[in-house]
Amino acid sequence: MSDEEWERFLRESVTGAAGAPVEPSARAREVERRLRERSGQPDGRRTYSPARPRRRTGWYMTGLVAAVALLVVGLFPQQVVGWFGGDDGGQDGAPSAAESEGAREAPGAEPDLRPTLAEPFRGSPAAHWADGAAGITVPPARATGWMDAAQVERALRQSRDFLVAAGLDSRVLRGERPTKAIALLNPHQQDVQEYLRTALSSTAPAPETDPLLLFSRFRPEHARLVGDVVKTRGRLTYREGKRGAVEVTADVTFVYPVTPAGDGGRDAEVVRTIVRREVVMSWDDPAEIITEPGTMSLVSYALDMTNGGCSEPTGYFVPPFGTADERPADEARQVDPYDRSKPIDTSNGTTAAGEGEGCATATRS
């Protein structure tokens, strides 16, 4: 650039180039506006409409809300589904909402599809349930009885740990000793300790000493789990119990897909053993009850099962592969094993719909 061009550039930068548009003054704009209104001529300049920024802001906010919604759905799919209806998931495989309160009705009907090794839960409400411990809802903790909120939170967590160790541990499911679950039981509760000794050592337990009352077990030479997933649905509740104890009640349904142990073919039969347990646990005040830290006493336990065996107890679930159960079912008493809106039927003692004096007929499995 020559010296003359550089000087002209600096001069025009200060004074403005010839012919360059000049921003009119506020007074000039006002006079122009009045003349335009009088003449009725349209404005020749194209300026933004006040609606556009609002509309654009609206789209921005919509995008932000959508992004947040997608994040919430990704992190909490079960809860989000629960906001928009239903106790069960949709037919398209959407997950069920977590069970934060008692079910009001049975899950809706599912397509009549047989389970397979690839899809062991299809045709079942459990297809929409959570996997493993994720399906057991734990309520918020608050100070109760002799415990403060932090202690209640720990008691709830350990209560769920007991359910996991008793009903989901892969070694226990194969028939091994439920060591982790036993470690959470008060060793000074003599009746429970006697039950454990008898239940886990007898080859022919009585109904009242059947280990299935607390623990899920399959005989390895008879049945094996299909995959690593057990579907669950249920929740914990708690209240102040006797002598200031924190009494935790667990009501959980487990769905175990199993296949014959010796059948490894792609068309192997798949049966779902459905187990609903109600266990009441007491986290006692050590000033009132002899106990050990980190252990609880059992108040009661009940079992309701489908496809777990209808003959005398053996200490293991006995899925009815290929043939009907040995004992004919009671056609007059029908049970939907997925219906959690009704309490466990204890009319036959500690078990129902699968063991004891007569078996009910499951309306679906």
Side-chain angles (χ1 to χ4, degrees), residues 87-105:
D87 189 36
D88 56 326
Q91 301 297 330
D92 58 354
S96 297
E99 189 176 276
S100 58
E101 58 182 22
R104 294 184 293 273
E105 59 185 10

Side-chain angles (χ1 to χ4, degrees), residues 114-130:
R114 292 183 58 189
T116 65
L117 293 177
E119 298 180 87
F121 299 102
R122 74 170 188 165
S124 158
H128 312 296
W129 293 3

